[in-house]
Amino acid sequence: MDTKNNFVDLGAVLKRYLYHWPLFVLGLLIAGGIAYTYLNVTNPVYEVNATILVKDEKKSPEEKAALPELEQTTSPKNAEAEIEIVRSKKLINQVVDKYQLWASYKTKQGLKTTDLYESTPVKFVMVQKTGTPKNQKIEVTIKSKNQFEVENLSGQKQAVNFNTDYKSAFGTWKLVPTDFIDQYIGSKINIEVNDPLIATNNYVKLLDAHLLDKQAPTIGLFVQDEVPKRGQDFLNGLIAAYNNAAMVEQKRKTKNLIEFIDTRLASLSGELNHAENTVQGYRSAQGIADVNTQVKAYVENSQSNDAKLNDVNVQLNVISGIEQYVNSSSGNPPSTMGISDPTLTRQVEKLVDLQLKRTELLGTTPEANPIFKPINEQIALTKASIKEVIRGVKSSLLTSKRQLQVVSSKTQSSLRDLPNQDRQIGDMKRQKDLKENSYVYLLKKREDLSLSYAATVTDARIVDEASIGDIQWPRPALVAAIALLAGIGLPFLIIFFRHTFNGSITSRRDIETSISVPVVGEITYENLGKNSIVVNDRHNLIGEQFRTLRTNLYYLHQNRQLSPSAIKLNLHQGSFVGSSVSEDHDQRGRVTLFTSSVAKEGKSFVGTNIAVSLAALRRKTVILEMDLRKPKVLKNFGLQPGRPGITEFLQGSISSLDTIIQPSGIENLDIIACGEISSEPSELLEGDKLAELISELRDRYDDVIIDTPPLHLVTDSMIIGKQADICMYVVRQGYTKKDELEFIQEISEKDKLPNINIVFNGIRKDKYGYGYSYDNSYYSEKKKVGFDVKLKRFLTRF
């Protein structure tokens, strides 16, 4: 069930939009015309692109050798960082200034404006700024090769010579003619001047720079421009500015390094001289020429001194033995080996000989023999002589020994000091060698950097120079798609918001889902012109609908004491079986009241045709024109006002009904007109005369049809409703607001009107997607419709 309802709703929505097909056609025509005009007056925007390859690696081998330890010149390039450098305002501003991109020159040819970047007849030159020009527009007319015309500060045209200073609100400027001046004599040139900083910011936004390949640091540069040549100049100029800035930065760094090395070399030169002087002074102070040679000399001297000391000790020992031999009277003769004194040696030998001689004499001669006296005297004298020599020799040897011992001590001390001296000399030499090596190294690097400074190369290799790509805008296919979307979408939105914010009732479902008052009839909309009575035409769809409503009205009067929900159920089931209603109700006339919420909902139209329909059944019927403010019933029947009517009767100025009843021109149907328009209709209706009027009409007529004023505007209908049996509340499709349903429900719940039933009027299936799926052709042949009617019908589709 829900699926079916959803399908019906979707179909109704589709039909609602299709009803306004002329609006969609108009939208498509307007959108297509705008798109066509746009494509013809809009200058195409081209994409201009260039590609550069950034050196994202270490410098070349010869540059590496220059100074590999200093990362300032050997650090790898970062492609992402280089993109930011390329997009920097500093570089872009250089290009903007170089090509004067802060000024544009345009001329209008019909509806199309042409940019004269490549063929401008004049060049704008700012002499002195007195403010910040921002989108300053200057319109000049080229009068001749030597003169142009411009509007001055007072608003008057002024002739100015080329190359002549001209003062304006933002500064002093002049125009310089170009080689194209002859082609534009008599033409108007629009010059737009911007502050260079603003132009720079605009190009920063326009420039698109991104990596094309992360493996190879290739940067793509893209810009869109109406003038391809200007885009090419901008990108090529930007690449040149980038390379130039990189070279300047490299040279600056290299120059700073050279200056640093020069300063360091000067400092190292002084430090190196000081280190050399320190080593030399220490050697001189310590008497060290060469440590190894000094050690060798000390060792040899020590060995020689030890040998001499040993020799002295040997001699002292020999002398000690001789001294003991001399002092003793016996003993073995001493050895004189090692004694270098010949006198001592002769004396010892002489003593030995004398001792041997005496010993031989003792062997043959007694010791008391006087012969021993000369020998003893000689021995004594020889010993005395030896002792004297020994004292001299011994003294000399002891002196030599002491000297040799001192020399040995000094040599040992010097040998012990040599390692410390060697270490100190080594430290001094290392400091000297370090400074010497640094000095030599920096000298070499300075030469390498000087060569690098003279041979600085660019950091970016141009893979593709700026070239013109495809047209980015306008793209005919995309513009056509946008036009198509707008041509369909805008009418769709108009219809959508019209229906959404209109808030009117468009289907019976809106009524039945909101209130409990039953819908007893539906009347289709048809443009009837001045003909308001359609029931007489038996071959008319609306007439048939009124006849159906007439039948329902018959059953409503039979069941007027039923609750609204019971009536609604019977209407739905097509069953109107009388309950316990007495047949006495049919003995007097039935009173049916027709009203609505507001004006123009068709209550007079519906009431009139119901009355005609009842009269066609030979039921005596009368229509009361009780809209005492704006009566319409007489107009529906083509009758002229002026006769006394209800107002006069209620005022009491007329007492006979026959005076106010007038024939309608239709058999069995009379009319009681409003009469004179009253200023206080509500007070008239509150009197007893109204009940008297209705009661007498019940006796005279089978049906009394009352046309009342709109209920939501005045209270007349509620007053009249007290005398009625049934209230037919007219609701018009697409006109009555949904808010009125709450008002109707409130009236029904509080019984302010008797037995309220709704007539859904003015149904247009083609416009709102709800209503009968058949038309008049089912009943009769189609009638020819006038052009004015056709036009009116057509205009309603917008």
Side-chain angles (χ1 to χ4, degrees):
M1 189 68 173
D2 292 338
T3 304
K4 181 178 179 181
N5 288 339
N6 291 337
F7 175 76
V8 171
D9 290 343
L10 180 60
V13 171
L14 182 61
K15 290 176 181 178
R16 178 193 303 169
Y17 285 98
L18 289 178
Y19 173 78
H20 298 282
W21 66 264
L23 187 61
F24 287 96
V25 173
L26 179 61
L28 289 172
L29 290 175
I30 294 175
I34 294 174
Y36 177 80
T37 305
Y38 179 79
L39 289 173
N40 282 275
V41 302
T42 303
N43 293 320
V45 177
Y46 296 86
E47 182 182 74
V48 183
N49 59 79
T51 308
I52 59 176
L53 180 66
V54 178
K55 294 181 180 178
D56 197 13
E57 67 275 353
K58 294 287 185 179
K59 299 291 182 182
S60 55
E62 58 272 15
E63 291 176 308
K64 285 184 181 181
L67 203 58
E69 293 80 6
L70 296 178
E71 294 298 324
Q72 291 91 333
T73 60
T74 60
S75 59
K77 294 283 184 181
N78 184 282
E80 287 79 4
E82 295 306 302
I83 289 176
E84 295 304 316
I85 294 175
V86 171
R87 297 184 73 253
S88 66
K89 291 184 179 180
K90 181 179 179 181
L91 293 184
I92 293 178
N93 187 62
Q94 293 176 12
V95 181
V96 168
D97 285 339
K98 179 180 179 181
Y99 294 103
Q100 289 190 348
L101 299 179
W102 42 265
S104 63
Y105 311 88
K106 297 180 180 179
T107 185
K108 201 165 186 180
Q109 299 173 350
L111 295 177
K112 191 170 185 179
T113 300
T114 304
D115 197 302
L116 303 177
Y117 175 77
E118 297 181 76
S119 59
T120 176
V122 294
K123 283 290 185 182
F124 180 91
V125 178
M126 178 64 74
V127 178
Q128 184 179 4
K129 288 196 298 184
T130 57
T132 302
K134 185 177 182 182
N135 295 328
Q136 294 290 339
K137 296 181 179 179
I138 306 170
E139 184 180 277
V140 300
T141 303
I142 309 298
K143 305 300 290 185
S144 65
K145 291 183 179 180
N146 303 316
Q147 199 175 65
F148 65 92
E149 191 176 71
V150 66
E151 187 177 289
N152 57 26
L153 296 175
S154 61
Q156 297 178 347
K157 296 291 184 179
Q158 179 180 348
V160 183
N161 293 329
F162 288 115
N163 295 308
T164 302
D165 293 352
Y166 179 81
K167 190 173 183 180
S168 65
F170 60 89
T172 303
W173 50 270
K174 63 181 179 180
L175 293 183
V176 179
T178 67
D179 296 336
F180 300 96
I181 188 69
D182 293 335
Q183 303 177 19
Y184 292 92
I185 294 177
S187 300
K188 288 185 178 180
I189 307 298
N190 294 312
I191 304 173
E192 184 174 327
V193 181
N194 241 330
D195 183 70
L197 182 58
I198 296 176
T200 299
N201 291 334
N202 291 337
Y203 270 97
V204 169
K205 296 175 184 177
L206 285 175
L207 178 63
D208 177 22
H210 59 265
L211 279 176
L212 300 179
D213 187 357
K214 290 186 177 181
Q215 300 299 323
T218 307
I219 299 176
L221 304 177
F222 305 88
V223 69
Q224 295 182 2
D225 203 318
E226 291 181 8
V227 184
K229 183 65 169 59
R230 181 166 55 197
Q232 286 180 302
D233 289 344
F234 173 74
L235 290 184
N236 289 332
L238 183 61
I239 295 172
Y242 168 74
N243 283 330
N244 183 63
M247 290 177 65
V248 170
E249 181 65 14
Q250 275 188 304
K251 284 182 176 292
R252 185 189 66 82
K253 289 182 179 180
T254 306
K255 185 178 180 180
N256 289 341
L257 287 173
I258 291 174
E259 291 176 354
F260 167 76
I261 290 175
D262 287 341
T263 303
R264 188 61 185 146
L265 284 173
S267 175
L268 281 175
S269 178
E271 293 176 2
L272 182 59
N273 289 333
H274 177 73
E276 289 177 343
N277 292 333
T278 301
V279 174
Q280 183 179 357
Y282 186 81
R283 287 182 182 276
S284 298
Q286 298 297 327
I288 301 172
D290 182 72
V291 174
N292 293 331
T293 303
Q294 197 79 13
V295 170
K296 185 177 180 181
Y298 280 157
V299 172
E300 289 178 353
N301 289 338
S302 179
Q303 291 175 350
S304 175
N305 189 73
D306 289 344
K308 290 179 180 180
L309 185 61
N310 289 334
D311 184 56
V312 168
N313 288 330
V314 170
Q315 292 185 50
L316 286 173
N317 289 332
V318 172
I319 288 174
S320 179
I322 292 173
E323 189 175 18
Q324 289 177 1
Y325 176 73
V326 170
N327 290 328
S328 64
S329 58
S330 62
N332 296 322
S335 172
T336 58
M337 186 176 296
I339 298 298
S340 59
D341 192 338
T343 300
L344 180 58
T345 302
R346 286 195 300 271
Q347 290 294 330
V348 171
E349 289 178 354
K350 182 179 177 181
L351 178 60
V352 171
D353 289 342
L354 288 174
Q355 288 286 2
L356 287 175
K357 192 180 285 187
R358 183 178 182 272
T359 300
E360 288 179 354
L361 286 176
L362 284 176
T364 59
T365 305
E367 187 176 358
N369 190 341
I371 198 169
F372 282 101
K373 185 176 178 179
I375 294 175
N376 288 335
E377 290 179 355
Q378 288 182 355
I379 290 173
L381 289 172
T382 301
K383 284 185 177 181
S385 178
I386 290 173
K387 287 181 179 181
E388 185 66 26
V389 173
I390 286 174
R391 280 194 298 272
V393 172
K394 190 174 182 180
S395 177
S396 176
L397 288 175
L398 288 174
T399 299
S400 297
K401 181 178 179 181
R402 285 194 295 273
Q403 291 177 347
L404 290 173
Q405 287 177 339
V406 170
V407 171
S408 177
S409 178
K410 288 182 177 180
T411 301
Q412 293 299 322
S413 177
S414 297
L415 285 172
R416 284 192 297 271
D417 291 340
L418 276 176
N420 184 46
Q421 293 173 350
D422 183 57
R423 183 180 61 79
Q424 291 185 2
I425 290 175
D427 291 342
M428 294 177 186
K429 287 183 70 177
R430 277 193 296 273
Q431 292 295 324
K432 170 188 169 278
D433 292 343
L434 178 62
K435 297 182 185 303
E436 185 177 5
N437 290 337
S438 297
Y439 187 82
V440 173
Y441 178 78
L442 288 177
L443 277 177
K444 181 178 180 301
K445 299 313 172 188
R446 189 189 185 286
E447 289 300 315
D448 293 338
L449 282 173
S450 297
L451 293 174
S452 175
Y453 181 81
T456 301
V457 295
T458 60
D459 277 349
R461 177 182 175 185
I462 301 176
V463 178
D464 290 317
E465 291 186 344
S467 59
I468 304 171
D470 298 331
I471 295 177
Q472 296 300 303
W473 188 260
R475 296 182 179 178
L478 182 57
V479 172
I482 294 174
L484 178 63
L485 182 63
I488 296 176
L490 290 178
F492 177 86
L493 291 176
I494 291 172
I495 298 169
F496 173 78
F497 285 112
R498 184 190 296 169
H499 283 279
T500 301
F501 293 104
N502 184 25
S504 59
I505 300 170
T506 58
S507 69
R508 180 168 179 166
R509 189 182 198 185
D510 293 338
I511 302 172
E512 292 178 340
T513 56
S514 300
I515 60 176
S516 59
V517 180
V519 178
V520 297
E522 297 180 353
I523 308 300
T524 302
Y525 171 83
E526 186 173 344
N527 190 350
L528 302 172
K530 295 182 179 180
N531 183 19
S532 300
I533 301 175
V534 296
V535 179
N536 292 336
D537 188 356
R538 294 183 176 274
H539 302 287
N540 188 287
L541 170 62
I542 301 179
E544 187 63 32
Q545 291 173 338
F546 275 112
R547 284 186 280 275
T548 302
L549 179 59
R550 180 186 64 191
T551 303
N552 290 339
L553 183 62
Y554 172 77
Y555 288 111
L556 285 173
H557 277 287
Q558 277 192 331
N559 295 273
R560 58 179 176 265
Q561 291 185 345
L562 293 178
S563 65
S565 57
I567 294 174
K568 185 175 181 180
L569 179 62
N570 288 338
L571 285 171
H572 179 70
Q573 295 176 347
S575 173
F576 285 93
V577 180
S579 58
S580 60
V581 180
S582 172
E583 294 297 330
D584 293 340
H585 286 96
D586 293 331
Q587 295 176 3
R588 302 189 70 200
R590 306 178 305 186
V591 180
T592 307
L593 181 144
F594 285 83
T595 189
S596 64
S597 296
V598 293
K600 297 184 180 181
E601 290 181 300
K603 60 177 179 56
S604 298
F605 169 75
V606 175
T608 298
N609 281 278
I610 282 294
V612 174
S613 178
L614 290 170
L617 292 178
R618 301 183 183 277
R619 290 181 65 85
K620 242 184 131 174
T621 306
V622 63
I623 302 177
L624 275 66
E625 192 179 46
M626 297 196 73
D627 189 346
L628 303 182
R629 291 173 173 82
K630 291 184 179 181
K632 290 184 179 180
V633 174
L634 290 180
K635 184 179 179 181
N636 290 341
F637 286 94
L639 302 176
Q640 296 298 322
R643 290 185 59 175
I646 297 174
T647 301
E648 288 79 6
F649 184 85
L650 296 179
Q651 289 175 345
S653 59
I654 295 177
S655 59
S656 173
L657 281 179
D658 295 328
T659 306
I660 62 175
I661 295 174
Q662 57 180 313
S664 66
I666 297 175
E667 188 179 359
N668 297 319
L669 179 61
D670 293 331
I671 298 175
I672 302 178
C674 167
E676 183 183 357
I677 302 299
S678 174
S679 60
E680 297 178 347
S682 298
E683 286 72 8
L684 289 176
L685 296 174
E686 287 286 1
D688 297 334
K689 296 292 286 182
L690 177 62
E692 179 185 337
L693 172 65
I694 300 301
S695 178
E696 190 169 346
L697 290 176
R698 282 181 184 272
D699 294 332
R700 291 192 181 194
Y701 294 94
D702 297 318
D703 285 283
V704 180
I705 305 299
I706 304 176
D707 179 46
T708 64
L711 182 60
H712 213 159
L713 301 179
V714 293
T715 61
D716 296 4
S717 297
M718 292 185 187
I719 299 172
I720 301 169
K722 298 175 184 178
Q723 310 301 326
D725 300 320
I726 299 294
C727 174
M728 305 297 282
Y729 205 104
V730 179
V731 172
R732 184 177 176 182
Q733 185 186 45
Y735 186 83
T736 305
K737 302 299 181 182
K738 292 181 180 179
D739 296 340
E740 298 294 338
L741 294 175
E742 297 181 7
F743 177 69
I744 298 172
Q745 181 67 22
E746 180 184 356
I747 292 173
S748 174
E749 291 176 352
K750 295 182 179 181
D751 292 329
K752 292 182 178 181
L753 289 175
N755 298 308
I756 299 178
N757 298 273
I758 291 177
V759 177
F760 197 19
N761 183 39
I763 296 175
R764 304 178 68 169
K765 177 179 175 61
D766 51 358
K767 185 173 183 179
Y768 297 102
Y770 169 80
Y772 294 98
S773 59
Y774 49 85
D775 55 22
N776 247 3
S777 60
Y778 180 80
Y779 298 93
S780 62
E781 295 182 358
K782 291 185 178 180
K783 298 180 181 180
K784 290 186 178 181
V785 182
F787 175 77
D788 57 337
V789 176
K790 290 182 178 179
L791 180 61
K792 189 174 181 180
R793 288 180 180 177
F794 181 75
L795 292 177
T796 60
R797 294 181 178 270
F798 285 94

